[in-house]
């Protein structure tokens, strides 16, 4: 009952936040511009979250499109987020001629491993059967990167797929999947143990909570590196992207080492930011290295997908963000973390003028958001 209520609330919040999304994306375009978005197509009837959204170019070139479709799997620590919430961070692919199938999947803790992994396989079978996708790119960030990499490993190993079929009772051998041409992982969770290396106490507590929510009851492995016995040199070409300041970046290093040991072609790019640097709107107040990492990674992704060399020292130009977008971004951050100032106010005490001032200023800033919409609407009318 709690999950159904929370799930409904998350769905409403995700839709609301998508409508409020800061207009300027990291490529300088307004989010949603130049793309057509088809929402909530059901790829399976087994779970209410087994749906996908399609992001595709609004205007296609008359020439034959040779760009491979992309199956995108959102992050969120296996327990949160959604396709809708993350659409703003992948619509640049649609503007560059790619069709993206962005999936939702059952979340933990109610749905432990391998529920989400099974859903990814169902989505792959669906896009082949219903949309004629015979070859694709797998793309995932954070927990989605783990699912993308693990699903890719499964598709390359009949024995692993058979074991999963026996374990779950799902008829995977009857499904026909597209060939995975290449794999793209942004700050992925590829090795659970490696993610604890050098982590601070708060990060370790958070990771343990996440893994306890998602890990199977029998204690078996659930990350990509647990598939090491099924990974061979036939594994697709892979790009791993990680933030040097990300507490879990060593997880990406372990994944790279494993693939290199198997003779797989692996490209690796490291950025000065922390986790999720491509997942936030450009209008938010973010550190300079975070913003630079976002625009650089966007350019690197497009270069890699086009089989162009990834620059060693990319310094892409950051987009200019209008003032009303910045104000709107501040409001969005306030809505997502709106309890923080209230907690500060309560901790400092109602008699504290500091707490009262902080909370009052925060509420004024958040309440000013609708004015930004009016200004933006007036300027674009």
């Amino acid at each position: 009952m709690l999950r159904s209520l929370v799930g409904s609330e998350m769905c409403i919040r995700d839709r609301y936040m998508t409508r409020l999304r800061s207009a300027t994306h990291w490529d300088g375009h307004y989010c949603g511009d130049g793309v057509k978005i088809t929402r909530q197509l059901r790829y399976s009837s087994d779970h209410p979250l087994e749906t996908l959204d399609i992001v595709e170019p609004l205007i296609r070139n008359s020439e034959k499109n040779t760009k491979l479709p992309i199956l995108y799997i959102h992050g969120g620590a296996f327990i949160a987020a959604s396709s809708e919430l993350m659409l703003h961070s992948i619509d640049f692919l649609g503007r560059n001629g790619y069709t993206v199938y962005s999936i939702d999947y059952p979340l933990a803790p109610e749905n432990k491993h391998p529920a989400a992994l099974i859903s990814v396989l169902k989505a792959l079978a669906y896009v082949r059967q219903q949309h004629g996708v015979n070859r694709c790119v797998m793309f995932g960030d954070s927990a989605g990167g783990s699912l993308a990499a693990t699903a890719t490993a499964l598709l390359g190993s009949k024995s692993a797929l058979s074991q999963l079929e026996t374990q779950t009772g799902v008829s995977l051998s009857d499904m026909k999947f597209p060939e995975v041409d290449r794999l793209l992982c942004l700050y992925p969770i590829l090795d659970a143990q490696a993610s604890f290396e050098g982590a601070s106490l708060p990060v370790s507590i958070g990771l343990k909570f996440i893994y306890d929510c998602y890990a199977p009851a029998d204690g078996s492995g659930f990350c990509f590196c647990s598939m090491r016995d099924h990974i061979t040199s036939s594994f697709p070409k892979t790009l791993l992207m990680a933030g040097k300041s990300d507490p879990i970046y060593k997880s990406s290093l372990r994944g790279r080492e494993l693939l290199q040991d198997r003779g797989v072609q692996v490209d690796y790019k490291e950025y000065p930011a922390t986790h999720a640097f491509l997942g936030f709107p450009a209008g938010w107040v973010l550190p300079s290295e975070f913003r630079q990492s976002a625009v650089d990674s966007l350019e690197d992704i497009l270069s890699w997908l086009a089989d162009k060399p990834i620059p060693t020292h990319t310094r892409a130009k950051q987009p200019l963000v209008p003032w009303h977008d910045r104000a709107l971004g501040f409001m969005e951050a306030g809505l997502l973390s709106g309890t923080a100032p209230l907690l500060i106010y309560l901790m400092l005490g109602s008699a504290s003028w500091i707490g009262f001032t902080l909370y009052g200023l925060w509420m004024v800033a958040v309440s000013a958001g609708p004015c930004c919409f009016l200004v933006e609407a007036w300027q674009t009318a």
Side-chain angles (χ1 to χ4, degrees):
M1 179 64 179
L2 179 60
R3 169 60 78 180
S4 64
L5 291 174
V6 172
S8 299
E9 183 273 331
M10 286 180 63
C11 180
I12 294 171
R13 181 207 62 198
D14 290 351
R15 284 297 180 107
Y16 183 52
M17 290 308 300
T18 301
R19 301 301 181 268
L20 296 184
R21 185 68 57 220
S22 295
T24 307
H25 184 49
W26 295 110
D27 62 357
H29 289 272
Y30 279 74
C31 291
D33 276 2
V35 298
K36 174 186 175 183
I37 302 176
T38 306
R39 289 181 166 87
Q40 299 289 297
L41 297 178
R42 183 161 294 284
Y43 62 82
S44 172
S45 58
D46 296 333
H47 193 282
L49 285 180
E50 290 181 326
T51 62
L52 60 80
D53 304 317
I54 304 177
V55 180
E56 54 191 326
L58 190 60
I59 301 176
R60 294 187 179 275
N61 294 329
S62 57
E63 300 179 2
K64 183 179 179 181
N65 186 6
T66 59
K67 295 181 177 180
L68 290 177
I70 299 170
L71 188 87
Y72 169 70
I73 309 166
H74 71 80
F78 304 108
I79 61 175
S82 68
S83 167
E84 181 77 28
L85 190 63
M86 299 305 296
L87 282 180
H88 73 281
S89 64
I90 61 168
D91 67 349
F92 76 94
L93 292 167
R95 282 191 288 275
N96 283 275
Y98 294 93
T99 296
V100 184
Y101 298 90
S102 176
I103 76 166
D104 277 310
Y105 52 86
L107 301 174
E110 287 79 4
N111 303 280
K112 291 181 174 290
H113 179 80
L117 186 59
I118 294 292
S119 293
V120 173
L121 296 175
K122 291 177 184 176
L124 281 165
Y126 170 85
V127 297
R128 172 169 176 169
Q129 180 181 7
Q130 299 296 326
H131 297 273
V133 176
N134 294 315
R135 292 172 62 229
C136 70
V137 177
M138 291 286 279
F139 174 23
D141 60 315
S142 193
S146 176
L147 291 170
T150 307
T152 302
L154 276 170
L155 296 182
S157 173
K158 291 184 178 179
S159 61
L161 205 60
S162 178
Q163 290 175 16
L164 185 61
E165 183 176 42
T166 302
Q167 175 188 348
T168 61
V170 180
S171 300
L172 300 175
S173 58
D174 295 334
M175 299 180 184
K176 295 187 181 298
F177 304 104
E179 175 191 351
V180 177
D181 183 80
R182 58 187 64 191
L183 170 68
L184 167 59
C185 294
L186 270 170
Y187 29 83
I189 303 173
L190 299 181
D191 187 304
Q193 288 303 119
S195 61
F196 284 100
E197 295 180 13
S200 63
L201 180 60
V203 170
S204 297
I205 292 173
L207 289 173
K208 185 178 186 307
F209 170 77
I210 291 166
Y211 296 156
D212 286 347
C213 285
Y214 180 69
D218 60 9
S220 58
F222 58 88
C223 282
F224 169 72
C225 286
S226 65
M227 298 282 296
R228 62 180 67 249
D229 294 337
H230 302 283
I231 298 170
T232 66
S233 59
S234 63
F235 194 87
K237 176 183 177 181
T238 300
L239 172 61
L240 301 178
M241 310 172 81
K244 180 66 175 178
S245 300
D246 189 344
I248 66 168
Y249 92 99
K250 290 186 178 180
S251 172
S252 295
L253 298 181
R254 294 295 179 273
R256 180 183 64 167
E257 292 169 3
L258 172 58
L259 291 173
Q260 288 177 335
D261 288 344
R262 298 296 190 271
V264 178
Q265 182 180 348
V266 186
D267 294 307
Y268 177 78
K269 185 70 180 285
E270 205 167 78
Y271 302 85
T274 184
H275 197 68
F277 49 81
L278 192 59
F280 291 92
W284 284 29
V285 179
L286 299 166
S288 59
E289 66 274 8
F290 202 101
R291 303 180 66 84
Q292 190 62 51
S293 295
V295 294
D296 288 349
S297 63
L298 186 150
E299 295 294 330
D300 293 341
I301 288 172
L302 293 175
S303 295
W304 185 78
L305 289 173
D307 285 322
K308 297 178 181 178
I310 299 176
T312 305
H313 301 290
T314 310
R315 293 292 294 182
K317 184 179 180 180
Q318 296 186 28
L320 295 175
V321 182
W323 68 267
H324 50 85
D325 282 356
R326 290 189 179 277
L328 182 57
F330 184 80
M331 185 200 69
E332 289 175 352
L335 289 175
L336 285 180
S337 57
T339 58
L342 179 59
L343 291 174
I344 294 174
Y345 172 49
L346 293 175
M347 285 189 295
L348 292 175
S350 59
S352 170
W353 67 270
I354 298 176
F356 183 81
T357 303
L358 285 174
Y359 187 55
L361 289 174
W362 190 276
M363 288 298 100
V364 168
V366 170
S367 300
C371 297
C372 300
F373 286 110
L374 295 176
V375 172
E376 183 177 348
W378 174 71
Q379 290 185 342
T380 57

